[in-house]
């Protein structure tokens, strides 16, 4: 028998609970995605990463310095004013600089360069790294790593989102199952209570012995206990569901029994991919794999930077200056300076040690990625196994429920003809109730397996289920 036909049989045998609007799965999941605290907390990591990126961009902020010196006592009285700026860039690590200075008063001959024309001296220049810090420096490395950290925060959020959606879906179907359990308990109790008056009449008429009435009373007490237990399970599942079904204020909302749907949907939630397609989809979309890939890029950036720091520093600097306004004729009004600065680290232990750390971390991430790929493959394989087993259980439990219903009806007719006892009728009714619960549990397992399938493949991460 096809799975769809089994669903129809289960629904036909399950009584309708309430006519009130039922709480839908989408409503629960959407509420969880908007207000679940752990998801909101994870979302703040994105804001943290944005702040870190802004801080890294600050490495390229323009720096401005102002200095004022006054010689107020001594042989030489003079004043010096200096305003300078510095602008680092990502263009081959070049740093542009410039400024204005003005020096007036008397200077000793060895400080003659401090004297400027009346309107001061303007200067501009550039410092260009030719070896170390040419391809990468601390500013550019930090900015790249901060930008990658934003992607990591996005993947962390996506992974939390998948888990919240999966668990919220599980809690919803567990709540629906608890409602089915309570329905079954209420149906069994109602049957025993309705039968009680007829049994008493038959006992009074001498048709059946008195212990049959006593046995039915025992059945009523047993079924009342089952109803109490089922009510507790429903309340417990509603409490768990309320953690995910939240109101506009973000606080949990307790679902009522009147909001229970009449049963599980007739059709399965979605069309499945074959195993190979599913595995490829999971490998391409799972956030943890993407996060590990970005972390590897971060670590590679650090390794490149530290290896660059082991090279000699060779910087070319060019600066031009010009005095403006009136002044002594001996002033050097137009100046051009070219410099070559060399900085050679002899031992390079800091950069070598940090490069070794980065290289080891890169290898660690490689092995972690391999393990993550293995786990994802296992997740996909496991969820396909769960779906197959759940479908088989749905089909078999539906057939079992049909048989149990027929046996219950037949045993009840035999009892009415005096060919059976309350004991056997009770056993048949309990067997039918247990079969109905097994069918509901199998369907619950199937729908939860679909939630696991969606999480395992990470499909439609930002879309409703």
């Amino acid at each position: 028998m096809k799975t769809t036909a089994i669903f129809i049989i289960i629904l036909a045998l399950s009584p309708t609970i309430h006519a009130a609007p039922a709480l839908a799965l989408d409503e629960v999941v959407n509420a969880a995605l908007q207000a679940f605290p752990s998801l909101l907390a994870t979302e703040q990591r994105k804001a943290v990463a944005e702040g870190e990126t802004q801080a890294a961009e600050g490495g390229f902020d323009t720096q401005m310095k102002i200095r004022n010196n006054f010689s107020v006592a001594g042989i030489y009285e003079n004043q010096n004013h200096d305003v300078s700026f510095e602008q680092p860039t990502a263009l081959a690590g070049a740093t542009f600089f410039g400024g204005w200075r003005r020096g007036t008063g008397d200077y000793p001959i060895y400080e003659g360069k401090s004297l400027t024309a009346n309107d001061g001296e303007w200067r501009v220049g550039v410092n260009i790294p030719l070896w170390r810090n040419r391809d990468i420096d601390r500013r550019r490395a930090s900015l790249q790593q901060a930008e990658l950290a934003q992607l990591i925060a996005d993947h962390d959020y996506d992974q939390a989102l998948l888990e919240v959606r999966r668990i919220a879906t599980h809690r919803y179907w567990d709540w629906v199952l608890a409602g089915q359990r309570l329905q079954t308990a209420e149906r069994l109790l109602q049957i025993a209570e309705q039968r009680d008056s007829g049994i008493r009449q038959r006992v009074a008429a001498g048709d059946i012995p008195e212990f049959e009435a006593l046995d039915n009373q025992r059945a009523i007490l047993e079924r009342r206990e089952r109803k109490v237990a089922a009510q507790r399970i429903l309340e417990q599942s509603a409490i768990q569901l309320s953690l995910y079904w939240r109101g506009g204020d973000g606080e949990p909302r307790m679902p009522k029994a009147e909001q229970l749907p009449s049963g599980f949907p007739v059709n399965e939630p979605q069309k499945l991919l074959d195993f190979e397609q599913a595995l490829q989809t999971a490998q391409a979309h799972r956030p943890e794999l993407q996060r590990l890939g970005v972390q590897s890029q971060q670590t590679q950036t650090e390794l490149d930077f530290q290896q660059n720091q082991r090279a000699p520093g060779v910087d070319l600097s060019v600066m031009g200056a010009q005095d403006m306004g009136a002044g002594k004729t001996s002033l050097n009004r137009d100046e051009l300076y070219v410099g070559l600065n060399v900085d050679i680290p002899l031992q390079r232990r800091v950069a070598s040690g940090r490069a070794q750390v980065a290289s080891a971390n890169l290898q660690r991430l490689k092995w972690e990625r391999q393990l993550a790929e293995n786990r994802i493959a296992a997740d996909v394989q496991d969820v396909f196994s769960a779906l197959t087993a759940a479908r088989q259980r749905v089909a078999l439990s539906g057939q079992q429920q049909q048989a149990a219903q027929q046996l219950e009806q037949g045993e009840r007719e035999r009892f009415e003809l005096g060919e059976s006892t309350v004991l056997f009728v009770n056993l048949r009714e309990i067997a039918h109730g247990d079969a109905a619960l097994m069918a509901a549990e199998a369907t619950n397992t199937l729908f939860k397996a679909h939630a696991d399938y969606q999480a395992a493949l990470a499909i439609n991460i930002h879309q409703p289920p």
Side-chain angles (χ1 to χ4, degrees):
M1 186 177 295
K2 294 183 178 181
T3 303
T4 302
I6 298 301
F7 278 126
I8 296 175
I9 292 171
I10 294 172
L11 290 174
L13 296 176
S14 299
T16 301
I17 302 180
H18 300 285
L23 177 61
L25 173 61
D26 288 358
E27 187 177 351
V28 173
V29 173
N30 290 335
L33 298 186
Q34 292 175 11
F36 195 69
S38 68
L39 190 60
L40 297 179
T42 305
E43 190 173 19
Q44 291 306 305
R45 297 180 187 175
K46 298 165 70 174
V48 171
E50 290 176 1
E52 294 293 345
T53 300
Q54 184 178 6
E57 290 172 345
F60 296 94
D61 287 350
T62 304
Q63 300 293 322
M64 182 176 181
K65 299 179 181 179
I66 301 176
R67 294 188 304 167
N68 294 286
N69 293 319
F70 303 91
S71 176
V72 296
I75 300 176
Y76 303 99
E77 295 184 3
N78 50 66
Q79 298 180 3
N80 279 284
H81 308 280
D82 192 301
V83 179
S84 63
F85 73 88
E86 183 178 287
Q87 179 61 64
T89 72
L91 181 62
T95 299
F96 294 90
F97 59 89
W100 171 88
R101 70 182 182 90
R102 185 170 182 267
T104 60
D106 297 325
Y107 293 89
I109 190 171
Y110 53 83
E111 290 185 7
K113 289 181 62 65
S114 299
L115 184 64
T116 67
N118 293 341
D119 294 336
E121 177 193 82
W122 292 93
R123 66 184 182 276
V124 64
V126 61
N127 186 70
I128 304 173
L130 301 179
W131 197 336
R132 187 204 305 163
N133 295 329
R134 183 190 63 183
D135 298 325
I136 189 171
D137 56 18
R138 183 73 275 173
R139 291 187 182 95
R140 283 176 284 170
S142 296
L143 181 57
Q144 290 176 21
Q145 291 173 327
E147 290 172 344
L148 292 171
Q150 285 187 282
L151 296 178
I152 292 175
D154 289 339
H155 296 321
D156 286 340
Y157 177 79
D158 288 344
Q159 188 167 1
L161 185 149
L162 283 175
E163 185 65 10
V164 168
R165 173 180 289 168
R166 186 183 73 86
I167 299 300
T169 303
H170 278 219
R171 296 294 177 262
Y172 177 81
W173 293 127
D174 285 342
W175 179 63
V176 173
L177 174 61
Q180 297 290 293
R181 186 185 301 275
L182 180 59
Q183 284 185 57
T184 301
E186 289 176 340
R187 183 182 69 83
L188 290 173
L189 177 59
Q190 184 180 16
I191 290 172
E193 291 177 339
Q194 290 176 347
R195 185 172 56 226
D196 191 60
S197 59
I199 290 178
R200 291 183 182 277
Q201 291 176 5
R202 292 180 65 181
V203 170
D207 186 25
I208 56 176
E210 186 176 356
F211 75 88
E212 295 288 358
L214 181 61
D215 194 13
N216 195 64
Q217 282 294 312
R218 180 204 60 78
I220 290 175
L221 294 173
E222 178 188 3
R223 296 178 188 188
R224 285 176 180 171
E225 188 275 333
R226 282 175 175 253
K227 180 181 176 181
V228 172
Q231 184 66 45
R232 163 58 184 151
I233 293 175
L234 178 61
E235 292 174 357
Q236 185 179 33
S237 62
I239 292 171
Q240 295 298 318
L241 181 61
S242 70
L243 295 176
Y244 295 88
W245 187 43
R246 293 174 176 264
D249 57 357
E251 293 299 318
R253 298 174 62 186
M254 186 71 67
K256 299 179 181 179
E258 292 80 5
Q259 295 174 285
L260 278 164
S262 58
F264 291 94
V266 175
N267 298 316
E268 293 190 44
Q270 63 198 63
K271 183 178 179 180
L272 304 181
L273 302 173
D274 61 46
F275 179 78
E276 292 300 327
Q277 290 177 321
L279 181 57
Q280 291 176 6
T281 301
Q283 298 285 6
H285 292 90
R286 283 285 285 267
E288 58 265 46
L289 270 187
Q290 298 185 45
R291 183 183 65 246
L292 285 170
V294 177
Q295 286 178 325
S296 295
Q297 294 180 48
Q298 271 190 326
T299 307
Q300 184 63 57
T301 299
E302 183 66 21
L303 178 59
D304 293 343
F305 170 69
Q306 295 301 338
Q307 289 178 336
N308 178 269
Q309 293 304 292
R310 300 171 62 185
V314 181
D315 297 344
L316 173 66
S317 62
V318 179
M319 186 188 76
Q322 184 177 46
D323 280 77
M324 308 294 292
K328 292 183 179 181
T329 57
S330 60
L331 284 175
N332 188 7
R333 287 184 172 271
D334 298 312
E335 301 172 82
L336 178 64
Y337 299 93
V338 177
L340 188 66
N341 303 316
V342 180
D343 176 11
I344 302 176
L346 297 179
Q347 294 175 302
R348 304 181 298 178
R349 288 182 293 183
V350 172
S352 296
R354 291 175 179 172
Q356 181 179 348
V357 171
S359 179
N361 282 331
L362 200 60
Q363 186 64 32
R364 173 181 58 82
L365 290 169
K366 176 184 176 182
W367 293 119
E368 287 183 1
R369 181 180 179 86
Q370 180 178 339
L371 178 58
E373 289 175 347
N374 296 152
R375 285 176 175 170
I376 288 172
D379 287 346
V380 175
Q381 187 174 9
D382 182 65
V383 78
F384 268 79
S385 174
L387 286 166
T388 301
R391 290 196 191 98
Q392 293 174 352
R393 286 187 59 198
V394 167
L396 292 172
S397 61
Q399 295 172 12
Q400 181 182 1
Q401 184 179 3
Q402 278 186 298
Q405 184 190 28
Q406 294 173 1
L407 289 171
E408 176 189 346
Q409 183 62 34
E411 198 68 43
R412 189 177 294 115
E413 292 174 355
R414 292 183 64 218
F415 176 71
E416 291 174 355
L417 296 174
E419 297 177 359
S420 184
T421 64
V422 171
L423 173 63
F424 287 103
V425 173
N426 179 62
L427 291 176
R428 295 299 187 190
E429 291 171 348
I430 293 298
H432 181 206
D434 290 343
L437 284 178
M438 289 180 64
E441 288 174 354
T443 309
N444 172 62
T445 301
L446 178 61
F447 279 87
K448 288 165 69 172
H450 273 281
D452 294 339
Y453 170 86
Q454 191 175 43
L457 270 63
I459 52 179
N460 300 325
I461 294 180
H462 298 284
Q463 298 296 326

